[in-house]
């Protein structure tokens, strides 16, 4: 395969057989905020082309979903996986990147979210996670993908945090105001929320930058069984960044929703792990600055939490749907209220439910969100025509039974799945 022609022919064959395999009925389906993963065996032709031993080996046929953009993206996930391979324990291997979607090796195990959806996870697992953060911090800078020329340089922690804040204001808040601005205002999100935060946190202690995952939570941690015990592996690297390691710890603490004791223990173990790999400078000023990153996580989360609460409403939403959405909105507001330096109390759930009801009526009248309304109207009829989810041809049913509050369902993929599954 040394000549360019042979390499090109090989790439075409890989894509052809990957497309064929991806469209086979059956397999598992895992849908998240950012990707839809079909879990299927590779099959003999594809395994041979990829020089893998077993045709029965499973892989993730990973397709991005259209969703609200709420966090910056710096690299392609395949670039990040190459950088962390061999340096951060067991991670998925990118077998092929086709641009619009990719093929990754599948790590057999159970998500931590399935084993322990909430509550304590135990000291041993906390230590394992702290070790993963330390491995990230210890990766040599020269193995990382190239950054944009205007990206903050190492130790510019203030510039890094303000870069994240600017993204939140420009790409999340302002970009979504045409559709959600009235809702933001109605539930009391300050129009200058990001500016308020930046004024409260003008300076941070400089810390050396490292590769950050930015999204290590229970659903992105796989528990793999081994002869000598279990191993924790981290998946879903598409949101990785280059920046202050304290930001990675903060997003982890917020999204894991630890109780007080494990929250404090994780901070301690993280610090110890950094020192163990000679990255003590990553802990400089953390007694003060960690609060700033935690506050930022609460502030930036207002926008996606409010939007997702609204987008989760079915077409024929009832009181319980608005109540659930209001609970989510109010939780986001309560967490951000103090970091924003706000006086008084945020709106109550009755006010939030009323705001969601008004937004929903206006959004529906404007004809936005047709896919979710189509599913709400026709889901029952379509389910009746599809094989059971546990049958080989049940992939379309599995797609249809994604909870209605998950907005990231692509109609093209759905109709294609229905057709090929005989629905």
């Amino acid at each position: 395969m040394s000549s360019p022609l042979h390499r090109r022919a090989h790439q075409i064959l890989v894509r052809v057989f990957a497309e064929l395999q991806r469209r086979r009925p059956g397999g598992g389906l895992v849908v998240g905020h950012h990707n839809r993963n079909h879990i299927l065996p590779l099959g003999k032709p594809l395994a041979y082309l990829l020089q893998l031993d077993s045709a029965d080996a499973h892989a993730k046929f990973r397709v991005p979903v259209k969703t609200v953009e709420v966090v910056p993206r710096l690299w392609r996930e395949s670039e990040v996986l190459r950088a962390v391979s061999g340096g951060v324990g067991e991670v998925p291997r990118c077998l092929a990147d086709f641009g619009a979607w990719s093929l990754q090796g599948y790590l057999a195990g159970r998500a931590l979210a399935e084993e322990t959806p909430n509550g304590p996870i135990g000291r041993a697992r906390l230590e394992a996670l702290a070790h993963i953060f330390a491995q990230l911090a210890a990766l040599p800078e020269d193995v990382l993908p190239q950054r944009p020329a205007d990206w903050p340089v190492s130790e510019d922690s203030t510039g890094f945090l303000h870069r994240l804040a600017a993204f939140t204001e420009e790409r999340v808040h302002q970009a979504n105001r045409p559709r959600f601005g009235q809702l933001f205002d109605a539930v009391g999100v300050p129009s200058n929320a990001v500016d308020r935060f930046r004024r409260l946190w003008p300076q941070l202690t400089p810390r050396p930058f490292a590769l950050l995952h930015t999204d290590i939570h229970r659903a992105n941690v796989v528990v793999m069984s081994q002869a000598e015990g279990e191993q924790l592996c981290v998946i879903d690297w598409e949101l990785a960044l280059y920046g202050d390691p304290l930001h990675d710890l903060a997003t982890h603490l917020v999204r894991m929703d630890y109780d007080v004791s494990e929250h404090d223990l994780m901070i301690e173990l993280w610090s110890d792990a950094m020192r163990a790999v000679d990255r003590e400078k990553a802990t400089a000023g953390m007694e003060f600055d960690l609060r700033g990153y935690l506050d930022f996580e609460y502030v930036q989360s207002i926008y996606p939490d409010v939007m997702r609460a609204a987008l989760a409403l079915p077409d024929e939403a009832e009181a319980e749907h608005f109540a659930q959405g209001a609970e989510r909105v109010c939780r986001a507001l309560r967490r951000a209220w103090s970091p924003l330096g706000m006086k008084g109390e945020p709106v109550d759930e009755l006010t939030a439910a009323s705001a969601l009801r008004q937004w929903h009526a206006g959004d529906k009248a404007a004809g936005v969100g047709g896919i979710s309304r189509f599913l709400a109207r026709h889901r029952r009829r379509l389910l009746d025509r599809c094989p059971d989810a546990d049958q080989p041809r049940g992939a379309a049913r599995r797609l249809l039974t994604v909870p209605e509050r998950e907005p990231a369902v692509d109609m093209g993929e759905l109709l294609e799945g229905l057709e090929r599954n005989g629905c």
Side-chain angles (χ1 to χ4, degrees):
M1 301 261 176
S2 56
S3 74
L5 180 61
H6 285 173
R7 286 196 298 271
R8 179 61 179 155
H10 180 265
Q11 292 168 355
I12 292 172
L13 284 172
V14 168
R15 176 152 197 162
V16 166
F17 282 105
E19 288 279 7
L20 289 172
Q21 196 70 6
R22 181 168 74 96
R23 297 172 187 279
R24 285 186 55 186
L29 180 69
V30 180
V31 179
H33 283 306
H34 305 288
N35 291 280
R36 181 171 56 255
N37 299 286
H38 298 262
I39 313 300
L40 293 162
L42 285 169
K44 288 183 178 180
L46 193 52
Y48 173 78
L49 288 167
L50 295 171
Q51 298 183 328
L52 298 176
D53 294 335
S54 175
D56 295 327
H58 281 63
K60 289 191 299 186
F61 295 73
R62 190 164 169 80
V63 183
V65 296
K66 293 179 181 179
T67 186
V68 177
E69 183 182 34
V70 297
V71 288
R73 292 174 184 256
L74 192 58
W75 300 301
R76 291 193 60 78
E77 188 177 20
S78 57
E79 296 177 304
V80 180
L81 290 176
R82 282 194 294 270
V84 299
S85 177
V88 190
E90 187 80 21
V91 296
R93 177 186 168 193
C94 184
L95 303 173
D97 186 345
F98 304 118
W101 65 281
S102 63
L103 179 63
Q104 293 184 9
Y106 175 66
L107 300 183
R110 287 173 58 83
L112 185 58
E114 297 177 43
E115 292 204 350
T116 313
N118 47 60
I121 65 172
R123 185 183 181 103
R125 287 178 172 175
L126 290 172
E127 289 176 343
L129 290 170
H131 180 62
I132 290 171
F133 284 115
Q135 287 179 311
L136 281 172
L139 281 175
E141 185 177 340
D142 59 8
V143 307
L144 305 183
Q146 187 173 359
R147 277 88 63 191
D150 63 345
W151 193 257
V153 298
S154 183
E155 299 196 19
D156 183 11
S157 298
T158 300
F160 173 70
L161 179 56
H162 286 198
R163 174 85 175 225
L164 297 179
F167 178 91
T168 298
E169 174 60 19
E170 297 164 11
R171 302 285 293 276
V172 184
H173 177 208
Q174 294 299 334
N176 287 289
R177 278 205 71 86
R179 185 176 180 187
F180 296 98
Q182 184 177 0
L183 177 59
F184 293 150
D185 297 340
V187 298
V189 178
S191 60
N192 63 342
V194 174
D195 284 339
R196 278 176 169 269
F197 170 80
R198 279 191 286 221
R199 287 198 298 270
L200 291 170
W201 291 94
Q203 287 292 128
L204 298 179
T205 299
R207 277 172 294 274
F209 283 10
L211 179 67
L212 317 179
H213 182 284
T214 80
D215 201 25
I216 299 181
H217 55 74
R218 297 173 196 246
N220 283 344
V221 176
V222 175
V223 182
M224 297 180 64
S225 297
Q226 296 183 333
E228 62 276 14
E230 69 177 28
Q231 180 182 7
L232 299 189
C233 308
V234 176
I235 60 174
D236 292 5
W237 293 80
E238 70 267 25
L239 304 181
L241 295 176
Y242 177 70
D244 188 340
L246 213 52
H247 172 60
D248 223 3
L249 174 62
T251 58
H252 173 71
L253 292 172
V254 170
R255 296 175 194 184
M256 287 292 287
D257 199 20
Y258 290 123
D259 62 20
V260 174
S261 63
E262 289 206 335
H263 178 279
D264 293 344
L265 179 57
M266 186 64 202
I267 295 172
E268 178 185 338
L269 294 172
W270 183 90
S271 301
D272 292 343
M274 290 295 171
R275 295 186 181 98
V277 294
D278 197 26
R279 293 297 185 273
E280 187 171 1
K281 288 183 178 180
T283 69
M286 67 177 293
E287 297 81 3
F288 182 75
D289 288 354
L290 179 58
R291 182 73 260 166
Y293 279 113
L294 290 170
D295 284 355
F296 173 71
E297 184 63 16
Y298 293 137
V299 169
Q300 71 87 20
S301 292
I302 291 179
Y303 301 109
D305 285 351
V306 170
M307 290 187 288
R308 285 169 179 162
L311 292 169
L313 297 168
D315 188 55
E316 303 302 327
E318 299 180 359
E320 64 181 288
H321 300 114
F322 293 111
Q324 290 168 357
E327 182 180 0
R328 183 173 186 176
V329 168
C330 288
R331 180 174 183 264
L333 290 171
R334 285 193 300 269
R335 296 195 308 177
W337 214 242
S338 176
L340 286 171
M342 300 292 289
K343 305 297 183 182
E345 298 292 330
V347 300
D348 57 27
E349 292 187 7
L350 285 177
T351 303
S354 175
L356 285 168
R357 192 182 297 273
Q358 185 174 2
W359 176 88
H360 184 260
D363 202 60
K364 182 177 177 180
V368 183
I371 289 176
S372 61
R373 290 202 298 277
F374 176 91
L375 290 177
R377 287 196 298 270
H378 301 292
R379 189 183 300 270
R380 182 70 264 163
R381 177 175 62 83
L382 293 168
L383 283 171
D384 288 343
R385 298 175 60 191
C386 288
D388 290 338
D390 58 355
Q391 297 300 313
R393 294 169 60 244
R397 172 175 284 268
R398 284 190 291 277
L399 180 57
L400 282 164
T401 51
V402 169
E404 292 190 15
R405 60 186 302 153
E406 167 59 61
V409 176
D410 181 86
M411 181 58 73
E413 284 288 334
L414 173 61
L415 294 177
E416 181 184 351
L418 291 171
E419 180 179 357
R420 71 172 179 263
N421 283 278
C423 301

